Amino acid sequence: MLRNRFKKISFSLLFFFSVLSTHAQEEVKIITLADLYELVMLYHPVYQQADLLSEQARMQVRLGRGSFDPKLESKYDQKVFKNKEYYQKWNSYAKVPLWAGNLNVGYERNQGSYLNPENDTDSGNGLMYIGLELPVLKGLLMDERRASLKKGFAMQQMTEAEQIKVINKLVLQIAKDYWSWYFAYHQFRLAETGFELATFRKESVDERIKQGDLAAVDGVEAQITIQQREINLKMAELDLQKAKLILSNHLWNENNEPLEIMDDIQPEEMGVEALPNLEDLTNQALVGHPDLISLQAKTTVLNLDQRLARESVKPELNLKYNYLGTTASSWEYGLEENYKFGATFSMPLFLRKERAKLQMSKLKVQDIEFKMTMKRRELSNDIQKAFLMVENYVELTDMQQEMSENYEILLQGETDKFNAGESSVFYMNVREGKLIEAQTKLYKMKSEYAKSMAELNWTAGVSPNFIIK
């Protein structure tokens, strides 16, 4: 059944074969849908915009990693009052962020007649120090720095999912426009063949009228058929030109200049494509669909916000220890003799702000979980609907193929009767017109089938591997 739905159109009349063979001998260039994809993805502005999303994703990660960049700082204070120099204080240090806390390495040099003893740095010679700042309670398990980095990776996933969505939408539109052009092309060729047949028959009828085999009214009938088919031909030509222009919207060169499909280019003949397994396609979509990946990344971000909110409820206790030395290369005393140590503690009494943030973060996580549940359900149903549409077009195409073959049989029989003088031009035109109409509908079914397959892949979030960089 499947192999019969894409049979090439054939007519029993020898003249039809001769017309089609003449068309086949013309020098034409065939562009396949895969070729068109590769051409489009080189310079299409939308694809280039989607490619920018990849760079944005990398910048999101770099932004998060920037929170761990070392930092150089220098502070200088001087006081002179009533021509007396009270002090000069200079402190230069590097702060190296760690996964938890900071590592500080610096040099401090203070001097002056009225310098407080606590600021003494070996009588003005200067002190080097290396120390550690560590949060013990709040910020030990999670802080803004670590959350920013992890959010960067989550945002990268969201951006890449958005890139796939943009590309998939472009792929779907290209496929639809391509198969619309495919139908318009074959509709025009059938209309052209029908017009040429009507012209050929008019000449034959005129000759038989001269010989007295046919009445003059048969010549009028033949002329009306020519006029009607000429109208159909012009309408089909207009539809073809419109379809070519729409498809040409996707063609660009390296200079961002639009291109057009030339008249000597024609679409590929549609091949047989095996239907995918519905269950496998659904399972694949429920794992790797861009919308679900984006929601999962949002869930990651919200979970990080929730962890930060939990940390904010804890009391804040920070410890700071600096080991002091007189020179960069030697340290005169041990860790227990030259050091500075400090601790800070703080805790809100009511925690209303912190508890509100925590509760809001929990509500947001629940909300995104509900969205993911609904999205999975919608995807499953949408894929099933798209799959049913594909199956329906398979059946309709088979039926239309069989109908076309039956019309061909009727036309052959009517031709035999006409040649024997037992039929009229009217019945010949009716049979011929019905066959052309059936063949046109067959190409329409083929086009709609191909579009429905593209719609199915888009619904499932399936991306052509050779398209995504």
Side-chain angles (χ1 to χ4, degrees):
M1 294 291 290
L2 288 175
R3 65 176 179 270
N4 292 330
R5 72 177 187 267
F6 293 138
K7 287 181 178 179
K8 290 187 177 179
I9 294 179
S10 60
F11 297 97
S12 59
L13 296 179
L14 292 177
F15 184 78
F16 252 34
F17 279 120
S18 65
V19 171
L20 293 178
S21 63
T22 300
H23 290 327
Q25 291 173 1
E26 295 176 1
E27 185 177 355
V28 295
K29 299 176 183 178
I30 296 177
I31 180 171
T32 66
L33 182 57
D35 293 337
L36 187 63
Y37 280 149
E38 293 182 358
L39 180 61
V40 166
M41 299 311 162
L42 286 175
Y43 308 114
H44 197 289
V46 174
Y47 187 75
Q48 293 182 10
Q49 286 178 321
D51 194 41
L52 293 178
L53 294 176
S54 297
E55 186 65 21
Q56 293 179 15
R58 289 190 289 270
M59 293 304 104
Q60 291 286 352
V61 175
R62 179 179 292 183
L63 184 64
R65 287 174 174 165
S67 302
F68 289 87
D69 288 345
K71 186 178 182 180
L72 294 175
E73 292 190 18
S74 182
K75 297 179 181 179
Y76 178 80
D77 287 328
Q78 180 180 18
K79 180 178 179 181
V80 177
F81 183 67
K82 293 182 179 180
N83 293 324
K84 294 181 180 180
E85 184 176 335
Y86 279 66
Y87 59 79
Q88 290 181 340
K89 295 190 292 184
W90 179 41
N91 186 13
S92 297
Y93 60 93
K95 178 179 288 188
V96 182
L98 305 176
W99 190 244
N102 299 299
L103 176 66
N104 298 322
V105 178
Y107 175 77
E108 184 176 6
R109 181 176 181 180
N110 304 324
Q111 60 185 3
S113 303
Y114 298 91
L115 187 69
N116 289 333
E118 65 181 33
N119 294 324
D120 179 56
T121 56
D122 194 21
S123 301
N125 293 324
L127 291 175
M128 293 191 66
Y129 60 88
I130 179 171
L132 180 67
E133 297 178 14
L134 182 66
V136 178
L137 298 176
K138 178 181 177 180
L140 179 61
L141 301 180
M142 179 59 63
D143 57 17
E144 290 288 347
R145 257 186 345 223
R146 283 171 278 177
S148 177
L149 178 59
K150 292 183 177 182
K151 284 181 180 181
F153 287 109
M155 293 297 293
Q156 183 180 31
Q157 288 184 323
M158 291 175 58
T159 307
E160 290 174 350
E162 183 63 27
Q163 180 192 32
I164 294 175
K165 286 179 60 177
V166 171
I167 294 176
N168 282 354
K169 186 176 181 180
L170 178 61
V171 168
L172 174 63
Q173 190 60 53
I174 292 172
K176 287 184 174 181
D177 293 342
Y178 180 88
W179 295 118
S180 294
W181 172 53
Y182 166 87
F183 167 68
Y185 172 82
H186 287 287
Q187 178 183 241
F188 171 75
R189 298 307 293 264
L190 287 171
E192 187 179 40
T193 301
F195 176 73
E196 292 175 358
L197 282 172
T199 304
F200 172 79
R201 181 166 294 108
K202 179 63 168 60
E203 296 174 355
S204 177
V205 168
D206 289 343
E207 184 64 28
R208 294 183 64 177
I209 290 174
K210 291 179 182 180
Q211 296 175 2
D213 293 339
L214 295 176
V217 70
D218 290 325
V220 177
E221 179 69 31
Q223 182 62 35
I224 291 175
T225 302
I226 290 178
Q227 293 170 341
Q228 181 60 51
R229 293 186 182 177
E230 185 176 10
I231 292 174
N232 294 340
L233 177 60
K234 290 185 178 297
M235 294 299 295
E237 184 179 12
L238 177 61
D239 290 341
L240 177 59
Q241 293 300 324
K242 289 166 59 178
K244 286 168 59 177
L245 289 174
I246 292 175
L247 187 60
S248 296
N249 288 335
H250 304 294
L251 300 179
W252 301 79
N253 63 15
E254 64 275 12
N255 298 321
N256 289 329
E257 298 172 345
L259 303 176
E260 292 186 8
I261 295 179
M262 306 304 294
D263 294 334
D264 60 345
I265 298 178
Q266 69 181 43
E268 64 176 319
E269 182 54 45
M270 192 180 303
V272 177
E273 185 174 354
L275 295 181
N277 182 275
L278 178 58
E279 183 178 357
D280 293 342
L281 193 64
T282 302
N283 292 336
Q284 179 183 353
L286 294 180
V287 172
H289 195 281
D291 286 341
L292 289 179
I293 293 177
S294 181
L295 287 174
Q296 289 169 356
K298 289 181 180 179
T299 302
T300 301
V301 172
L302 292 177
N303 285 330
L304 289 170
D305 289 336
Q306 187 175 9
R307 290 186 63 182
L308 281 175
R310 287 197 185 101
E311 288 293 311
S312 66
V313 178
K314 298 177 182 179
E316 183 175 357
L317 175 61
N318 296 328
L319 304 180
K320 183 177 181 180
Y321 174 87
N322 284 346
Y323 176 50
L324 307 177
T326 57
T327 64
S329 59
S330 64
W331 303 84
E332 298 180 0
Y333 301 95
L335 295 175
E336 71 281 1
E337 298 185 34
N338 281 353
Y339 69 89
K340 289 174 64 177
F341 176 79
T344 59
F345 177 83
S346 67
M347 178 180 177
L349 295 180
F350 298 107
L351 295 174
R352 287 180 292 189
K353 178 180 178 181
E354 290 74 13
R355 285 185 289 135
K357 286 183 178 181
L358 178 58
Q359 188 61 30
M360 289 176 62
S361 65
K362 290 180 179 179
L363 293 175
K364 289 180 180 179
V365 170
Q366 291 178 352
D367 179 69
I368 203 71
E369 288 176 351
F370 289 140
K371 287 182 179 179
M372 288 189 67
T373 301
M374 284 298 302
K375 190 63 182 178
R376 290 191 181 98
R377 178 66 174 173
E378 291 173 359
L379 279 176
S380 179
N381 288 338
D382 290 344
I383 292 173
Q384 187 172 359
K385 287 189 298 183
F387 190 84
L388 289 175
M389 183 175 293
V390 172
E391 286 188 322
N392 184 56
Y393 276 119
V394 169
E395 184 178 358
L396 291 176
T397 305
D398 284 336
M399 295 171 60
Q400 190 65 39
Q401 175 69 46
E402 185 177 355
M403 187 185 300
S404 299
E405 293 172 353
N406 290 334
Y407 273 123
E408 185 179 348
I409 295 173
L410 290 176
L411 177 59
Q412 182 63 61
E414 199 67 41
T415 302
D416 295 339
K417 291 170 62 177
F418 181 79
N419 293 335
E422 298 176 2
S423 182
S424 64
V425 175
F426 173 77
Y427 286 111
M428 280 293 300
N429 289 337
V430 170
R431 298 297 188 195
E432 195 174 81
K434 287 294 184 180
L435 177 57
I436 294 175
E437 181 181 348
Q439 296 286 9
T440 303
K441 287 184 178 179
L442 179 58
Y443 277 114
K444 181 67 173 177
M445 293 299 177
K446 291 181 178 181
S447 173
E448 293 302 322
Y449 164 79
K451 290 180 183 179
S452 66
M453 280 295 298
E455 190 85 24
L456 176 61
N457 290 331
W458 175 79
T459 303
V462 177
S463 303
N465 293 328
F466 64 88
I467 288 179
I468 301 179
K469 294 181 179 179

